[in-house]
Amino acid sequence: NRCQSQAGDVCFVEESADQFEESDSATLTAIAFSEREKFVVSSPLRPPAHVWDMETHEKRFDLVGHSGFIGFVEVSPDSQRILTSSYFENDGSKLWETTQGREVLSLPGRGAKFSRNGQRIATFKAKTAFVWSAASNEEIARWKERDREMERQRKGLQQAN
């Protein structure tokens, strides 16, 4: 075993990423580093996702709330929030704070992504893309694909192109 330390199903190897040994007990579906690599978020096939401390190699906490497997994880540019998204649309996306893993927001859609400055979140559901404020549950914009044309809705007011 080339693990320098091991916590649960995660093997920490200092030399290089290609030496990571996959555990037989869990298959990862998504992984993301925080800024400055203080922690890493991993998501096995079955929830919950886990947050690991990169210095101590200990699990900080679990992100409990999804019912289906998490297909996407991302850490905000300031490392203060974690975004997870189920592979299945009905399970949605969730925003978490990074000190205790408390769920902050639950959003419809999947494939969640932070904007570059971390102030907005984009998700999609079927043929609709959503943009949300990361600070609140407020929908900022929505685009629907219909017959190869995009229709934009802003705060309930529909504006066709």
Side-chain angles (χ1 to χ4, degrees), residues 2-16 20 33 37-42 50-61:
R2 294 184 300 223
C3 294
Q4 291 196 352
S5 66
Q6 189 158 355
D9 295 327
V10 174
C11 170
F12 292 92
V13 178
E14 300 296 331
E15 288 80 19
S16 68
F20 178 79
F33 279 100
E37 300 180 9
K38 296 287 184 188
F39 62 89
V40 65
V41 183
S42 67
H50 312 291
V51 178
W52 304 92
D53 188 292
M54 289 302 295
E55 280 187 35
T56 66
H57 301 174
E58 301 277 326
K59 183 171 24 173
R60 286 185 177 182
F61 47 80

Side-chain angles (χ1 to χ4, degrees), residues 1-160:
N1 189 351
R2 294 184 300 223
C3 294
Q4 291 196 352
S5 66
Q6 189 158 355
D9 295 327
V10 174
C11 170
F12 292 92
V13 178
E14 300 296 331
E15 288 80 19
S16 68
D18 62 357
Q19 291 181 334
F20 178 79
E21 293 183 18
E22 186 177 341
S23 169
D24 292 335
S25 63
T27 299
L28 293 178
T29 59
I31 193 161
F33 279 100
S34 67
E35 183 67 24
R36 297 188 185 99
E37 300 180 9
K38 296 287 184 188
F39 62 89
V40 65
V41 183
S42 67
S43 177
L45 193 57
R46 287 183 226 124
H50 312 291
V51 178
W52 304 92
D53 188 292
M54 289 302 295
E55 280 187 35
T56 66
H57 301 174
E58 301 277 326
K59 183 171 24 173
R60 286 185 177 182
F61 47 80
D62 291 331
L63 302 175
V64 179
H66 285 284
S67 59
F69 84 83
I70 300 166
F72 309 93
V73 296
E74 187 175 13
V75 179
S76 65
D78 64 2
S79 296
Q80 297 301 305
R81 294 162 295 168
I82 298 167
L83 190 56
T84 60
S85 185
S86 173
Y87 184 76
F88 303 104
E89 289 179 349
N90 62 345
D91 198 19
S93 299
K94 297 186 182 297
L95 184 67
W96 313 84
E97 56 84 24
T98 59
T99 56
Q100 296 177 345
R102 185 179 56 84
E103 183 180 326
V104 177
L105 295 175
S106 186
L107 303 167
R110 61 185 174 130
K113 183 91 174 142
F114 281 108
S115 62
R116 287 186 185 189
N117 65 8
Q119 300 301 308
R120 294 186 171 90
I121 298 168
T123 62
F124 67 90
K125 185 173 183 173
K127 294 182 177 184
T128 304
F130 302 92
V131 178
W132 308 90
S133 166
S136 69
N137 203 4
E138 182 181 354
E139 182 181 326
I140 297 170
R142 177 187 302 197
W143 290 270
K144 289 186 179 184
E145 184 174 343
R146 290 192 182 146
D147 300 325
R148 299 182 192 262
E149 291 183 24
M150 298 301 283
E151 181 181 338
R152 184 172 181 201
Q153 296 178 348
R154 183 179 281 273
K155 294 186 180 181
L157 300 174
Q158 191 170 3
Q159 182 181 33

